[in-house]
Amino acid sequence: MIPEHAGAGQPSVPPTWLVTGGAGFIGSALVRQLITETSNHVVNVDALTYAGHLESLGDSRDHPRHTFVHLDITDAAALRAVLAAYRPSTIVHLAAETHVDRSIDDPGAFVRTNVVGTFTLLEAVRDYWRTLPSAAANAFRLLHVSTDEVFGSADPNVVFDEGTPYNPSSPYAASKAASDHLARAWHRTYGVPVIVTSCSNNYGPYQFPEKLIPLVIRKAISHLPIPVYGDGLHERDWLHVDDHARALRAVAAAGVPGRTYAVGARGERSNLAVVRQICRELDALRPCRGARHESRITLVDDRPGHDRRYAIDPTRIEQEIGWRPQYDFEVGLRETVHWYLEHEAWVQTVIGDGYRGERLGVTGP
Ligand code: NAD
């Protein structure tokens, strides 16, 4: 049962933001920030897949301005009911299947959520947006949150920007690319005020421990081999998740509908360099008897279709929106390592009985 709630078109009350995927890694960071740093009401819609956990919301979970609605974004009727009931002025669309290795094993789930789910949301929003009074319709924003992986692998000395052609390699990246095209088309064809953001790799607290940084921490403190794909020299452009959440808020406030913003912190590093830094932090915090953590780094078969390098040029968001990342990577990574050591109970809760850190996404013999 969804209660009536004031929102778009009623300027005397604080705005209502709707966040899809708000129980995931980036979504929960955004919800926590919105609850603690604004007076907004936040409606958080999430299917609570293996990657979504209400425990990631911390104190914001039970805050009176936070409302959780358990729904799947492919459920058009449920989405329409939420929009009608809460009348959001801003929607940030983060719900997605996100792990590249899982997309190799089960691409259908990625097409279903990332492509069909985004289409379902766009259609529901198109009809909702048309019902808004003109001032509210003009102020309304739908942020479609995407990834630098849609651009494929960057050649040396090339950086991605808003004009970079799409060239996705993995089923995950292809499904995100498809959803980006849908989002832009709903702006060009129907006028829905959609903004697309293309962001680099995020790191920080509350990331499901299948992703590189929390996986390495977990393997290291369990004294297990620390797997690194291929030669380890694949480069990623790292951004702290709280900086990403601030970027989304800045784009919602000052971004131009129909425009795309590339988001990154000029934080390029090889996977091996990141893994070695984690090992050094753990040598100090959780020394391993008789050996440095780095001695257990093990190069394993590369991921099929593994992009060699991603790198973002964030000049547009810096100059037009005034956003700048606040985190230095070394400091942010050190804090992140500390966080995972202090939150082993959260890690155990989210992995449950389902995920043991095994290798995923290996094709054929
Ligand atoms: P995540 O996997 O941690 O969280 C995804 C959330 O979406 C989970 O809470 C999950 O329960 C929910 N969800 C999945 N399928 C759903 C469905 N059908 N209906 C409703 N909810 C569903 O992902 P994340 O890392 O927080 O990424 C969020 C978004 O940001 C994604 O769109 C991703 O493509 C994009 N992005 C992520 C990164 C990164 O480094 N993590 C970088 C750039 C862009």
Side-chain angles (χ1 to χ4, degrees):
M1 173 77 173
I2 296 167
E4 290 297 314
H5 194 277
Q10 299 187 29
S12 57
V13 295
T16 295
W17 280 40
L18 188 146
V19 178
T20 74
F25 169 47
I26 300 170
S28 67
L30 177 63
V31 171
R32 293 192 308 273
Q33 229 179 65
L34 289 170
I35 293 297
T36 54
E37 297 180 15
T38 76
S39 58
N40 297 356
H41 185 104
V42 182
V43 179
N44 177 354
V45 302
D46 198 296
L48 300 181
T49 68
Y50 79 94
H53 298 272
L54 294 173
E55 289 79 2
S56 303
L57 293 162
D59 294 341
S60 300
R61 177 180 178 172
D62 297 321
H63 195 283
R65 284 186 285 103
H66 175 247
T67 302
F68 177 70
V69 183
H70 189 192
L71 67 70
D72 190 309
I73 56 163
T74 61
D75 183 342
L79 271 180
R80 285 170 192 273
V82 166
L83 292 174
Y86 294 103
R87 303 183 64 73
S89 58
T90 300
I91 298 177
V92 186
H93 175 38
L94 291 139
E97 290 290 344
T98 62
H99 191 40
V100 174
D101 287 344
R102 289 181 193 262
S103 82
I104 295 168
D105 291 335
D106 184 14
F110 287 69
V111 172
R112 182 181 164 281
T113 287
N114 300 358
V115 184
V116 179
T118 299
F119 161 75
T120 307
L121 176 69
L122 288 166
E123 279 294 82
V125 169
R126 176 161 75 101
D127 287 344
Y128 162 70
W129 176 68
R130 282 200 296 231
T131 68
L132 295 175
S134 63
N138 287 338
F140 177 83
R141 297 288 181 268
L142 167 59
L143 265 60
H144 172 72
V145 181
S146 194
T147 164
D148 57 4
E149 301 196 27
V150 297
F151 303 124
S153 197
D155 289 335
N157 304 320
V158 169
V159 283
F160 301 139
D161 64 19
E162 294 78 4
T164 302
Y166 277 41
N167 187 23
S169 300
S170 69
Y172 163 65
S175 69
K176 290 297 293 185
S179 68
D180 294 4
H181 294 319
L182 293 174
R184 288 196 186 93
W186 260 242
H187 171 72
R188 287 187 204 161
T189 304
Y190 305 113
V192 180
V194 176
I195 302 176
V196 177
T197 54
S198 314
C199 188
S200 61
N201 267 48
N202 284 213
Y203 72 99
Y206 296 107
Q207 187 171 33
F208 191 81
E210 63 191 354
K211 304 278 167 61
L212 180 72
I213 290 173
L215 181 75
V216 166
I217 296 169
R218 196 166 156 233
K219 296 280 186 190
I221 63 176
S222 307
H223 302 173
L224 293 169
I226 301 168
V228 174
Y229 291 171
D231 61 6
L233 299 181
H234 302 77
E235 289 182 9
R236 298 292 179 263
D237 188 351
W238 293 95
L239 177 72
H240 195 281
V241 67
D242 291 340
D243 279 330
H244 188 190
R246 279 185 281 270
L248 295 174
R249 290 167 57 196
V251 169
V256 178
R259 219 153 159 72
T260 296
Y261 298 89
V263 186
R266 298 187 174 86
E268 271 185 75
R269 276 166 185 73
S270 73
N271 289 343
L272 206 48
V274 171
V275 173
R276 286 191 172 130
Q277 191 191 331
I278 296 170
C279 289
R280 283 194 297 278
E281 301 292 345
L282 290 172
D283 283 337
L285 295 167
R286 286 276 178 96
C288 179
R289 287 177 305 278
R292 300 177 79 78
H293 286 290
E294 192 172 317
S295 67
R296 271 177 291 102
I297 293 177
T298 309
L299 299 180
V300 299
D301 286 348
D302 206 354
R303 165 191 279 164
H306 201 184
D307 288 332
R308 193 74 181 158
R309 176 172 170 263
Y310 303 132
I312 284 274
D313 174 7
T315 302
R316 175 181 286 177
I317 187 172
E318 289 173 351
Q319 293 187 349
E320 294 184 14
I321 310 277
W323 170 86
R324 291 275 189 298
Q326 296 181 9
Y327 268 96
D328 167 79
F329 181 76
E330 268 67 33
V331 175
L333 185 60
R334 184 170 308 131
E335 280 184 23
T336 300
V337 172
H338 275 266
W339 188 90
Y340 283 97
L341 296 184
E342 288 161 4
H343 291 79
E344 285 181 41
W346 177 86
V347 172
Q348 291 308 323
T349 300
V350 304
I351 61 177
D353 297 329
Y355 177 64
R356 295 268 159 259
E358 64 273 24
R359 177 82 195 254
L360 302 169
V362 182
T363 52

